[in-house]
Amino acid sequence: MSGGKRIKKPAFKAKARAAGKATAKSRAKTAARPAEPAMDLAVGRRIRELRREHKLSLETIAAKTDLSIGFLSQIERGLSSPSLRVLATLADVLGVGIAALFGSQPSDDAASGGVVTREMQRAELKLWRTGISKQLLSPAGAEHRLNLFLVHLEPGGNTGDELYTHDGEEAGLVLEGEMTLIVDAETWSLKRGDSFRFASRRPHRFSNPAKDAKAVVLWVNCATQAKPSSRGA
């Protein structure tokens, strides 16, 4: 009997330790979740600010983008996480580059004059549902037409199944991992050291095909519009 009890005690302790680890993991996941909706709220507020600055109604934006008024309202209230395709479409209609949706970061270098962006000052846009995050390497602001990004693609991260278009031109250099780029009807597999450039009006999408490795791409976007678009999306 006593020998049996000695065998059961370690088993009980092992179960307790396993349960404790599971609880800790659960708490860690729960603690990480609030940052995701917080990002959606920040992006939604920025979109609403720009829409109101240009005196555009939700009805007008909906008509120009083929997005429903309800969906647009959810985005502005931070209740829905928009894809990169949706954000690019909204930025296009608002007449700004996608960098304008980042808002601005407080600067501790008043002498930079809008020229320098310190590493700790980078604004970041996390599209957490699609596994894409974009760090803005150039100063934030709706008035800037040329913007530099560091794009991180998690394994399987992608812009969605649909090709999309927007204003301007873009170019990039793969720094780490690999990326699949589709422009029009052509598909390219890009690896570290490969670069690209194309007009953003050409239907395109991109993804990270790897299952266990992140891709990092230095990405340049140059917008050409100077005012909100008057065309349909």
Side-chain angles (χ1 to χ4, degrees):
M1 294 290 289
S2 60
K5 288 180 181 178
R6 281 196 295 272
I7 293 172
K8 288 181 180 179
K9 283 181 181 179
F12 176 79
K13 289 180 180 179
K15 288 181 180 179
R17 285 197 297 269
K21 288 180 180 179
T23 302
K25 286 182 180 179
S26 177
R27 286 175 180 170
K29 287 182 180 179
T30 301
R33 283 175 189 153
E36 295 164 347
M39 176 62 68
D40 293 340
L41 283 169
V43 172
R45 281 196 298 266
R46 183 58 179 155
I47 291 172
R48 184 172 58 243
E49 288 172 2
L50 288 168
R51 178 176 63 80
R52 290 177 175 175
E53 282 178 18
H54 295 302
K55 297 180 172 56
L56 296 171
S57 67
L58 282 173
E59 290 80 1
T60 301
I61 297 295
K64 292 178 183 294
T65 60
D66 291 330
L67 300 172
S68 71
I69 294 174
F71 180 51
L72 291 170
S73 177
Q74 287 185 331
I75 291 174
E76 289 194 354
R77 289 180 291 154
L79 300 179
S80 183
S81 181
S83 65
L84 184 58
R85 179 182 66 84
V86 169
L87 289 179
T89 299
L90 290 173
D92 207 7
V93 171
L94 292 168
V96 298
I98 196 170
L101 305 184
F102 283 61
S104 58
Q105 292 285 91
S107 173
D108 61 0
D109 186 0
S112 70
V115 174
V116 174
T117 300
R118 304 293 181 185
E119 183 176 1
M120 297 301 294
Q121 297 168 357
R122 293 176 187 171
E124 186 171 18
L125 185 63
K126 291 185 178 180
L127 306 171
W128 56 276
R129 289 189 187 276
T130 57
I132 298 175
S133 68
K134 301 184 72 168
Q135 291 183 345
L136 182 60
L137 305 183
S138 48
E143 71 279 5
H144 302 308
R145 318 312 296 174
L146 179 66
N147 291 287
L148 182 64
F149 301 94
L150 197 60
V151 177
H152 294 258
L153 295 166
E154 296 298 328
N158 64 86
T159 57
D161 295 331
E162 295 182 46
L163 298 172
Y164 67 101
T165 66
H166 55 94
D167 175 64
E169 289 186 84
E170 51 200 287
L173 170 67
V174 179
L175 301 178
E176 296 178 24
E178 58 183 311
M179 182 183 80
T180 298
L181 175 66
I182 299 177
V183 181
D184 293 325
E186 293 190 71
T187 301
W188 292 270
S189 179
L190 305 176
K191 296 186 178 181
R192 181 179 178 181
D194 293 336
S195 54
F196 59 89
R197 182 184 70 85
F198 59 92
S200 304
R201 287 294 178 204
R202 298 175 67 182
H204 60 278
R205 66 184 178 92
F206 58 90
S207 63
N208 176 6
K211 296 181 179 180
D212 57 0
K214 184 170 70 173
V216 180
V217 184
L218 183 65
W219 208 297
V220 179
N221 281 102
C222 182
T224 58
Q225 291 184 164
K227 59 183 179 179
S229 171
S230 58
R231 58 166 191 82

